[in-house]
Amino acid sequence: MGLGFGNSWVRILDFVLLYAMLALGLNIVVGYAGLLDLGYIAFYAVGAYLFAILASPHFDWHVSAWIILPFGGLLACLAGATLGAPTLRLRGDYLAIVTLGFGEIVRLFMNNLDRPVNITNGPQGINLIDGVSLFGYRLESGFTLFGTRYSGDYAYYYLFLALALLTIFVCMRLENSRIGRAWVAIREDEIAAQAMGINTRNVKLLAFAMGASFGGIAGGLFAAFQGFVSPESFTLMESVMVVCMVVLGGMGHIPGVLLGAVLLTIAPEFLRDIINPLQRSLFGRMVVDPENLRMLLFGMALIVVMLFRPAGLWPSSRRREELAEGHD
């Protein structure tokens, strides 16, 4: 896989796999436990900045990626529990507003933590971040196969593919576990779940913490892959995109979430390749900013899908039946 694509498309596939890991983590919070989290990108930022600080010339620390990544997941897990603890009584719109605020607070924190001690380097971000090494081999240096030289994007593709498969396996095990069933029970009816003896407070807190840990590890991988992080990579729009991947694909359904991650990562790149040449051929110049037009088309597509496929493009059989019963 990946050997027949150009380098730019392999890089896009790398981001598809990163977003798939991120969306699967959010699916635990939104899809399984039914807790609408609009600040999920904050945990991605926590993992990315931890990696950047510990593996760059910024403080001249160069800790191994395989040590930082688990710590990134652990730190994001603690951040998730910190966010979840005061919001356990909130649901729906109120929870969405609080989590949205948390995401913005983390971004502003990263943006301004350059004085009096320069920890995050403020808006300039941190660059020259070390990549991932495997058995002493640096992935960004690429590899040679049958006489053909491949860039580091190909090596990262196989690393991300392996980690994405591991994430899918963990999510499947969680879904079929007692904890997974408790999350679904809370999503369907929290009062009934509490009456059945489920400790809803601990189970919801666990959903926040576990979902956040996935985001922290994905953030560390992002920093290693890009070699640069800045607050601009962790805006509200990124959070909305990941939520859309889960909702559009099919909440609580792993194949649906993967489909959402693939579509929403590839579609903007595909549209960019179409919109720019189309405008130049029709008008001889760029009339509308491609970014604005892309977001307009993207928003319209989401509205159409939500009108005709409210359960998502690939919902689970249980959710499809629930919605069908609701319409009856």
Side-chain angles (χ1 to χ4, degrees):
M1 282 286 298
L3 295 177
F5 295 99
N7 201 57
S8 62
W9 277 99
V10 175
R11 191 169 180 81
I12 292 169
L13 287 177
D14 289 332
F15 278 106
V16 167
L17 293 169
L18 266 180
Y19 275 114
M21 286 185 264
L22 206 55
L24 286 169
L26 183 62
N27 185 48
I28 292 174
V29 186
V30 178
Y32 294 160
L35 304 167
L36 184 54
D37 185 355
L38 288 182
Y40 186 68
I41 207 70
F43 310 119
Y44 192 52
V46 168
Y49 265 94
L50 180 74
F51 196 102
I53 290 169
L54 295 181
S56 74
H58 185 57
F59 287 115
D60 205 17
W61 294 336
H62 296 278
V63 183
S64 167
W66 299 108
I67 296 174
I68 304 172
L69 289 174
F71 274 105
L74 184 61
L75 187 63
C77 177
L78 292 174
T82 305
L83 169 66
T87 60
L88 292 176
R89 292 181 179 276
L90 301 178
R91 286 187 69 83
D93 301 344
Y94 299 103
L95 179 62
I97 291 168
V98 171
T99 53
L100 186 151
F102 177 78
E104 281 299 287
I105 287 169
V106 170
R107 187 182 67 80
L108 292 172
F109 199 61
M110 302 301 182
N111 202 42
N112 293 284
L113 207 60
D114 56 345
R115 55 185 184 278
V117 179
N118 186 3
I119 298 176
T120 63
N121 207 26
Q124 288 80 27
I126 300 173
N127 59 10
L128 299 176
I129 300 170
D130 300 340
V132 177
S133 295
L134 200 59
F135 304 113
Y137 165 73
R138 296 173 67 87
L139 297 190
E140 65 268 24
S141 60
F143 61 93
T144 302
L145 187 66
F146 300 120
T148 305
R149 185 71 186 166
Y150 295 97
S151 70
D153 292 336
Y154 288 85
Y156 273 105
Y157 169 80
Y158 290 106
L159 172 68
F160 291 168
L161 181 63
L163 292 175
L165 290 174
L166 178 64
T167 306
I168 292 169
F169 174 74
V170 172
C171 287
M172 289 174 67
R173 297 292 297 172
L174 281 173
E175 186 180 6
N176 297 317
S177 68
R178 290 182 63 182
I179 293 172
R181 288 192 287 273
W183 284 333
V184 173
I186 290 173
R187 183 190 70 194
E188 299 300 321
D189 192 328
E190 187 173 343
I191 296 173
Q194 201 164 15
M196 290 168 61
I198 296 173
N199 188 329
T200 55
R201 185 194 61 181
N202 290 351
V203 171
K204 285 164 71 174
L205 206 55
L206 189 62
F208 269 116
M210 292 201 71
S213 63
F214 281 72
I217 294 171
L221 291 170
F222 168 75
F225 179 57
Q226 284 283 84
F228 171 73
V229 295
S230 79
E232 292 302 311
S233 300
F234 311 106
T235 59
L236 172 64
M237 195 59 210
E238 287 293 312
S239 269
V240 173
M241 283 287 288
V242 182
V243 172
C244 286
M245 288 172 187
V246 176
V247 174
L248 188 70
M251 282 197 297
H253 191 219
I254 293 172
V257 172
L258 294 174
L259 176 65
V262 171
L263 287 179
L264 294 191
T265 310
I266 290 180
E269 303 300 330
F270 184 68
L271 285 174
R272 181 182 296 161
D273 287 343
I274 292 177
I275 289 172
N276 295 1
L278 185 64
Q279 286 195 79
R280 287 199 177 91
S281 64
L282 289 177
F283 308 108
R285 60 190 177 85
M286 300 295 292
V287 177
V288 182
D289 182 1
E291 184 64 25
N292 294 338
L293 189 57
R294 197 156 52 98
M295 294 313 297
L296 175 65
L297 294 172
F298 179 62
M300 289 172 64
L302 279 177
I303 291 170
V304 170
V305 169
M306 286 297 104
L307 281 175
F308 295 101
R309 301 278 298 182
L313 293 172
W314 194 350
S316 62
S317 55
R318 174 191 285 182
R319 192 161 183 83
R320 193 186 302 123
E321 288 168 7
E322 285 172 357
L323 283 172
E325 288 171 5
H327 283 299
D328 292 341

